[in-house]
Amino acid sequence: MPEIFEASVRHVDGVSVIDLKGEMNAVAEQALTAAYHQASRDSSKSVLLNFRETTYINSTGIALIVAILAQARKMRQRVLVCGLGEHYRHIFQITRLADFMSLHDDEASAVAEATSAA
Amino acid sequence: MSGNGEREMTTPSDELRDPVARDAANWAPLVQKLQASGVSGDAPNLVDGRRLVGPLQGFGQMWQKTYWVRLSGSDATPAEIMKVWRARFPEFWPRGNRFYPPLAGLEPGEVALFSVSTGPMRLSSGVLVLYADDESFTFMTPQGHMLAAWVTFSAFMEGGSPVAQAQVLMRAQDPIMEISLFLGAQKLEDRQWVHVLSFLARHFGVEAIPETRVTCVDPRRNWSQAKNVWHNAGIRSSIYTLGAPVRWIRAAIRR
């Protein structure tokens, strides 16, 4: 039984953190888009995608992240990522997503980079 | 497993961090430059040595184009549809456009080549099979392809019927291709996938007209990527075609 995908938004030191939970596939589109719009409403300069509780990402899930990156570019927001394991870091490199977002092991280092750059 | 035979507890986050995750075999390995070895047929190979280019690296506006067809009345499962689509992919292409699958099949990491007719000229390029599982597979384009794109083919159940879908997330790779898209190449591309889905539906005994939804994800252009024109497939395909007599003469001399 596939897991339900959830995306929730919180704010840490002026950074919008989107916590992603469950399987990221086609079903995730609505929740992810809604979370991104919520995060953007607060006019944050940086959005952090936290994959710590994401259990699976397929190619459709990766395409959703690309769409988020494109929207962030329009809004002149920076997108950072944390909580990816070795396997998905590798996927972010294959797909060249890593060219456009900085990858961090944990939330603290991502927030530190986002706030120092602000 | 632990040494005493007890199964270790894994949390979702452990699984994501597992270097041998459950979907590891579904993804292509990391490649710096493509190598199209083992492709069936006499395909012009203009992709060797090229880097992969996703929608973020392209030049033009970013579009998401979704084409789908409902296989009403078919009792095929999504997995059965995808098995046929993946194994017989070239058979559903329009006449005159050729797809040369890798000999190993459309497996993650394999490179396929194609040659398509775009009015007066032919364009040749290829794709990497980026991802494949039982219910979907995804292509990613190399430098020189007309599009910087991911194309995901999938099947799923909706309202009790199987649905087959092709979804393209794309930008034109360079300014020349961006102009071409506006001058009609967009329509040619739409026609291509509508044809493929119609023929796939027909294979399952369903006559249906595919539907299309087009969304502009990012209307801005990536001017920093205008340099991609150096790899333009149209220019390189033309050079390849014009060079055919020279290749024939060389081959004859070698014999």
Side-chain angles (χ1 to χ4, degrees):
Chain A
M1 188 75 180
E3 284 177 59
I4 294 169
F5 177 81
E6 291 171 28
S8 55
V9 182
R10 60 196 164 86
H11 299 278
V12 180
D13 296 341
V15 179
S16 294
V17 181
I18 303 180
D19 294 311
L20 308 165
K21 187 176 178 184
E23 296 196 354
M24 203 158 168
N25 50 31
V27 177
E29 183 171 9
Q30 211 175 348
L32 182 61
T33 307
Y36 176 72
H37 286 149
Q38 189 189 336
S40 301
R41 267 203 302 272
D42 308 311
S43 65
S44 296
K45 286 268 184 279
S46 301
V47 174
L48 172 60
L49 301 176
N50 179 8
F51 287 90
R52 194 174 155 67
E53 293 193 75
T54 311
T55 53
Y56 175 77
I57 311 172
N58 71 5
S59 60
T60 306
I62 293 286
L64 294 178
I65 299 166
V66 172
I68 292 293
L69 270 170
Q71 290 178 55
R73 183 173 170 265
K74 250 192 309 191
M75 307 280 291
R76 300 184 189 283
Q77 286 171 317
R78 184 167 182 213
V79 180
L80 301 97
V81 163
C82 71
L84 284 173
E86 200 56 41
H87 171 62
Y88 286 102
R89 272 180 176 263
H90 184 72
I91 301 304
F92 272 51
Q93 282 164 353
I94 297 168
T95 54
R96 299 193 63 191
L97 278 176
D99 296 5
F100 287 84
M101 50 209 328
S102 60
L103 312 185
H104 296 265
D105 287 337
D106 53 56
E107 183 180 319
S109 63
V111 170
E113 188 186 308
T115 49
S116 68
Chain B
M1 298 285 274
S2 63
N4 61 11
E6 283 177 21
R7 198 183 171 95
E8 288 179 357
M9 292 289 286
T10 52
T11 63
S13 53
D14 288 336
E15 196 175 75
L16 192 70
R17 258 174 280 284
D18 182 356
V20 191
R22 66 178 156 114
D23 63 338
N26 299 135
W27 288 94
L30 182 59
V31 285
Q32 295 301 331
K33 290 184 174 177
L34 291 185
Q35 190 75 44
S37 53
V39 173
S40 58
D42 53 349
N45 181 354
L46 301 179
V47 305
D48 274 1
R50 299 262 182 272
R51 289 192 74 192
L52 286 168
V53 180
L56 291 166
Q57 284 86 19
F59 166 78
Q61 296 178 324
M62 190 188 286
W63 298 89
Q64 186 179 58
K65 303 169 89 172
T66 309
Y67 312 88
W68 71 97
V69 65
R70 186 176 296 276
L71 307 183
S72 303
S74 170
D75 55 5
T77 64
E80 285 166 350
I81 294 166
M82 294 315 295
K83 195 174 172 187
V84 168
W85 202 354
R86 204 164 139 191
R88 305 174 69 169
F89 194 79
E91 295 175 31
F92 304 119
W93 272 42
R95 193 182 293 271
N97 291 353
R98 293 199 62 189
F99 184 87
Y100 305 86
L103 294 171
L106 297 177
E107 298 295 332
E110 295 290 334
V111 175
L113 302 175
F114 67 82
S115 176
V116 295
S117 170
T118 55
M121 65 186 290
R122 293 194 72 76
L123 288 179
S124 302
S125 188
V127 288
L128 173 85
V129 183
L130 177 68
Y131 179 91
D133 64 21
D134 288 346
E135 296 188 356
S136 69
F137 58 97
T138 299
F139 292 158
M140 187 170 175
T141 56
Q143 288 172 324
H145 192 288
M146 32 298 222
L147 305 175
W150 290 339
V151 188
T152 296
F153 306 93
S154 60
F156 49 88
M157 296 300 291
E158 192 179 75
S161 297
V163 175
Q165 177 176 284
Q167 188 169 65
V168 185
L169 188 63
M170 55 163 255
R171 288 182 193 275
Q173 276 212 16
D174 61 58
I176 293 176
M177 281 316 305
E178 179 75 341
I179 293 166
S180 304
L181 287 177
F182 279 95
L183 292 180
Q186 288 260 29
K187 281 188 185 149
L188 286 177
E189 207 222 352
D190 293 346
R191 228 179 282 158
Q192 157 87 11
W193 298 121
V194 165
H195 177 100
V196 166
L197 286 168
S198 302
F199 273 61
L200 179 69
R202 197 172 292 170
H203 177 87
F204 287 97
V206 177
E207 289 293 335
I209 299 169
E211 295 179 65
T212 304
R213 184 177 60 240
V214 178
T215 311
C216 184
V217 180
D218 183 0
R220 299 198 309 172
R221 294 182 175 87
N222 269 338
W223 287 98
S224 63
Q225 303 293 333
K227 62 184 183 297
N228 290 346
V229 74
W230 171 248
H231 297 287
N232 184 282
I235 295 169
R236 289 187 180 249
S237 297
S238 303
I239 293 169
Y240 184 87
T241 305
L242 292 171
V246 177
R247 287 195 302 277
W248 295 333
I249 292 165
R250 269 199 203 142
I253 292 168
R254 278 196 205 115
R255 267 186 239 124

